[in-house]
Amino acid sequence: MEFPTNVTFFVGENGSGKSTILEAIATASGFHPTGGTHNSVFEYRKTESSLADALRLTWNRKIHEGFFLRAETFFNFASFLERESEEQPGEALKFMRPYGGTSLHRMSHGESFLTLLKNRFSRGTFFLDEPEAALSPTRQLAFLALLHDKTVSGDCQFVIATHSPILLAYEPATIYHFGTDGVSKTKYKDTEHYRVTKDFLDAPELYVRNLKRDDN
């Protein structure tokens, strides 16, 4: 797999392996399996695969900064930040400044995600696993605006596993599809995410009526 653009998307059905690959690449790049920065270390239930040990990564540039964002463990990371700032009161501002200056627990899930992107992502490589899980459609558009700003004005590269047809619309981006026949590059309008969403929005009543039918 090559990453020729500043933004790369992984798409595919649930269980297709896109999050496993994302986690493995992030872990092989030196990030904690549950997310965070290179320096984020906290207790967790070990669930990651051993795939990272089998990967061989070739770099045009080494990753010195970045972040691994996982929707399901983001609460743990926010708690880690809060605990570190409480245990070292004199360093509290240092811990929280890169995250907007306040506890991420004081915001909604979606607000904390956008705050993280706006304040913490300035340069480096960022691995995001289904960031749309916390974002409304309007906030997903805000995410796209921030994504564009970070890739144009900053030294940033993003690798994102997603189901969102809104996020996938970002250009220019490389899209890898994970399917039963392996992993291959694809185009936005060829993804199932685009086609199913468009068909549904074109005729939602037809879809709902068919889903309510008693037969298969």
Side-chain angles (χ1 to χ4, degrees):
M1 299 177 70
E2 296 181 342
F3 300 83
T5 53
N6 284 347
V7 178
T8 301
F9 290 114
F10 291 169
V11 299
E13 190 52 79
N14 293 333
S16 62
K18 60 187 183 301
S19 291
T20 302
I21 290 288
L22 182 76
E23 174 191 84
I25 297 173
T27 303
S29 301
F31 293 96
H32 195 267
T34 59
T37 67
H38 282 132
N39 300 319
S40 302
V41 179
F42 44 87
E43 293 183 1
Y44 72 104
R45 179 181 177 185
K46 186 177 177 62
T47 59
E48 71 272 16
S49 74
S50 59
L51 180 60
D53 298 331
L55 293 183
R56 295 295 177 266
L57 307 182
T58 302
W59 308 96
N60 289 330
R61 58 175 183 171
K62 292 290 282 184
I63 295 178
H64 297 293
E65 296 182 47
F67 200 93
F68 178 25
L69 175 65
R70 301 185 64 165
E72 70 271 25
T73 58
F74 187 65
F75 180 90
N76 294 341
F77 175 74
S79 298
F80 162 76
L81 279 181
E82 197 167 79
R83 185 170 59 253
E84 289 293 306
S85 64
E86 290 173 352
E87 291 177 355
Q88 304 179 56
E91 300 290 322
L93 186 59
K94 170 187 172 182
F95 281 110
M96 304 311 299
R97 184 184 293 116
Y99 305 94
T102 188
S103 170
L104 296 175
H105 282 317
R106 295 176 182 238
M107 311 173 195
S108 72
H109 202 183
E111 288 172 331
S112 63
F113 269 36
L114 290 178
T115 295
L116 182 71
L117 179 63
K118 183 183 297 183
N119 295 285
R120 182 62 181 80
F121 295 5
S122 57
R123 61 188 303 269
T125 302
F126 304 93
F127 302 93
L128 313 181
D129 190 13
E130 300 183 13
E132 73 274 10
L135 302 175
S136 69
T138 301
R139 292 301 176 92
Q140 289 183 47
L141 293 175
F143 179 97
L144 281 183
L146 286 169
L147 187 70
H148 178 71
D149 180 63
K150 298 297 181 181
T151 54
V152 170
S153 62
D155 186 15
C156 295
Q157 184 170 17
F158 292 86
V159 183
I160 304 172
T162 184
H163 291 291
S164 169
I166 294 178
L167 300 189
L168 286 171
Y170 181 77
E171 292 182 335
T174 301
I175 302 176
Y176 281 107
H177 175 258
F178 287 66
T180 56
D181 56 348
V183 181
S184 58
K185 286 184 180 180
T186 189
K187 297 180 180 179
Y188 172 54
K189 291 187 177 181
D190 290 335
T191 64
E192 183 181 32
H193 306 66
Y194 171 83
R195 290 185 284 104
V196 171
T197 302
K198 183 179 185 303
D199 288 348
F200 178 83
L201 293 177
D202 284 344
E205 67 287 344
L206 179 61
Y207 268 79
V208 173
R209 186 165 62 246
N210 281 318
L211 289 171
K212 290 180 177 179
R213 291 176 59 182
D214 291 335
D215 59 19
N216 291 328

